Amino acid sequence: MDDLKHQVEQIKNQFLHKLDLAQTEVELENVRILFLSREGSIPKLMHILKELSPDDKRHFGPLLNELKKESEQKFEEKKKKLALEALNKAEMKKTNFDVTAYESKMPKGSLHPYTPVIELIEDVFISMGYKVAQGFELEDEFHNFEALNIAKNHPARDMQDTFWIDVNRLMRTHTSTVQIREMESQKLPLAILSYGRTFRNEATDASHDFVFMQVEGLLIDKNVSMGNLFATLKIMLQGIFQRDDLDIRIRPGYFPFVEPGIEVDMACPFCTSGCSVCKKTRWIEMGGAGLVHPNVLKACNIDSTEYSGFAFGFGLTRLVMLKYGINDIRLLNSGKLEFLEQF
Ligand code: PHE
């Protein structure tokens, strides 16, 4: 009978050892098959009980029963422990989620072509101490026209076909509205950059859209000159096209809110002797600029004998189209993925 006792001891130790080693569900299942299943060594040992004398049964019965009970209990404990560990591991994975390691089968996103150009312009102006200001797309007549020295029946209103919302409200036709809002509300001296959507009531084609972007700059200080304006425009264009040698050319231009007013052309960044982009002229029209008209300063309660300033308004849409060689303006707002994916 010592033999049987020894066997019980041995099986118990083997079982505990193997159970201890099991680290996965599969390994645990193997332990169950080996020791606890119908053909496993512990139930097999129980069969021997039947063949024992009543005395031995009395002695070994409890011993074997205890072995069975204890091993089943130990097995269940281990099973729970492994399940909990697996759960913790999964949770850890969730919290230590490495976004950079994520490999998606979805197409990668890309920036809208406006974004990198806007970032370049912001960098240039912020480095010169400008603040980025925002205005409203829905404006009133005062900020879009009147304060900008465009009186009610002035023919200059016809230069900008307007989407009127009601008698006083309209979709801004230019970003120059932001000049007024900033001069009204901010302390002098003032240096602001603004960009955003503008709206004109016109038919669309490859080079016209009824919504497009402008970028506007305004500097109000003492003794501001046209020289300051030229230098600023040059620095901006050189920043956008990343070229130090990019020149500008100015022509007289009429805008009621500046005096003198100029139209600004940029030397074609793509050629030296004429190409299809500059239509063989070597120059590309960029927008208007000039020294802020005293009437505009007056409308914003600024003393024009003490302060002066310059302003410019360029087609941001045009700049973006030029920079990336986009030949149809309508693509920019089309939401077409095959277009957007190129940037
Ligand atoms: N607001 C003018 C336009 O949209 C451009 C401009 C801005 C001209 C500032 C001069 C000064 O046509």
Side-chain angles (χ1 to χ4, degrees):
M1 280 306 111
D2 276 357
D3 203 26
L4 190 58
K5 209 173 162 191
H6 179 68
Q7 230 178 319
V8 170
E9 230 17 67
Q10 215 178 10
I11 287 179
K12 188 178 165 181
N13 288 340
Q14 277 174 2
F15 170 75
L16 290 176
H17 180 64
K18 288 250 151 93
L19 192 68
D20 200 36
L21 288 182
Q23 291 306 324
T24 65
E25 253 180 70
V26 178
E27 285 166 5
L28 194 68
E29 176 62 6
N30 284 339
V31 175
R32 191 190 67 78
I33 292 168
L34 271 177
F35 292 92
L36 300 173
S37 70
R38 214 157 6 134
E39 294 304 305
S41 35
I42 293 174
K44 265 190 189 158
L45 213 54
M46 302 291 281
H47 287 307
I48 299 176
L49 206 60
K50 283 185 207 148
E51 289 148 30
L52 295 181
S53 66
D55 250 11
D56 287 343
K57 260 188 199 157
R58 218 172 295 133
H59 181 66
F60 282 106
L63 197 68
L64 284 170
N65 271 332
E66 200 184 323
L67 171 70
K68 186 167 179 276
K69 228 171 92 189
E70 211 179 299
S71 355
E72 280 170 356
Q73 197 186 329
K74 287 250 150 61
F75 180 83
E76 284 308 315
E77 277 169 16
K78 177 80 187 201
K79 197 171 157 181
K80 272 189 197 145
K81 193 175 158 226
L82 280 188
L84 194 68
E85 275 173 15
L87 195 73
N88 280 341
K89 252 191 216 163
E91 281 302 313
M92 283 284 280
K93 257 196 191 156
K94 264 195 232 160
T95 48
N96 293 341
F97 179 66
D98 179 358
V99 281
T100 60
Y102 182 62
E103 251 187 70
S104 168
K105 290 199 176 62
M106 295 284 282
K108 284 213 176 88
S110 55
L111 295 177
H112 191 282
Y114 274 126
T115 310
V117 176
I118 287 172
E119 281 172 357
L120 283 171
I121 299 176
E122 279 190 346
D123 281 353
V124 169
F125 282 92
I126 289 170
S127 75
M128 293 194 289
Y130 281 66
K131 187 192 95 177
V132 179
Q134 271 193 334
F136 304 116
E137 292 181 352
L138 178 62
E139 263 295 359
D140 55 34
E141 195 182 351
F142 177 75
H143 291 90
N144 199 85
F145 291 125
E146 228 138 290
L148 284 159
N149 201 29
I150 315 175
K152 248 203 176 69
N153 295 312
H154 197 286
R157 287 217 181 175
D158 296 342
M159 285 161 71
Q160 303 181 348
D161 290 320
T162 309
F163 283 116
W164 289 94
I165 303 298
D166 57 36
V167 279
N168 180 39
R169 287 180 305 165
L170 53 104
M171 299 307 291
R172 70 174 175 193
T173 56
H174 50 182
T175 43
S176 299
T177 52
V178 187
Q179 291 183 31
I180 306 299
R181 295 212 169 265
E182 290 293 301
M183 282 190 273
E184 281 174 337
S185 62
Q186 304 297 318
K187 276 204 205 107
L188 301 180
L190 196 62
I192 60 126
L193 174 81
S194 190
Y195 54 83
R197 285 194 196 93
T198 50
F199 307 81
R200 303 252 177 121
N201 187 0
E202 54 188 352
T204 58
D205 61 29
S207 44
H208 297 88
D209 204 346
F210 55 84
V211 45
F212 54 98
M213 300 266 268
Q214 282 192 344
V215 54
E216 188 95 8
L218 172 74
L219 177 80
I220 305 284
D221 205 340
K222 291 176 179 163
N223 303 317
V224 176
S225 74
M226 287 295 261
N228 300 138
L229 171 62
F230 299 157
T232 307
L233 293 177
K234 246 181 162 170
I235 290 171
M236 168 170 91
L237 292 170
Q238 290 173 351
I240 296 172
F241 290 92
Q242 315 262 276
R243 288 255 308 264
D244 292 343
D245 56 346
L246 212 56
D247 212 353
I248 59 165
R249 178 176 84 167
I250 58 156
R251 292 173 284 120
Y254 174 67
F255 303 94
F257 34 97
V258 283
E259 180 60 38
I262 55 168
E263 305 243 8
V264 185
D265 298 339
M266 166 183 73
C268 180
F270 307 108
C271 71
T272 49
S273 57
C275 66
S276 60
V277 179
C278 61
K279 300 198 185 82
K280 306 237 182 269
T281 63
R282 289 187 42 235
W283 296 97
I284 298 173
E285 271 180 45
M286 296 308 339
L291 295 185
V292 180
H293 197 291
N295 286 352
V296 175
L297 296 174
K298 211 180 292 165
C300 302
N301 292 322
I302 294 172
D303 181 355
S304 62
T305 60
E306 197 184 349
Y307 283 97
S308 54
F310 67 64
F312 66 86
F314 279 16
L316 179 57
T317 299
R318 193 163 165 64
L319 280 165
V320 170
M321 289 174 72
L322 276 171
K323 175 143 175 126
Y324 294 112
I326 299 164
N327 49 26
D328 192 330
I329 189 173
R330 292 167 294 193
L331 285 169
L332 288 160
N333 286 331
S334 66
K336 282 198 177 129
L337 281 183
E338 45 302 10
F339 167 71
L340 294 169
E341 273 163 7
Q342 299 169 47
F343 302 97

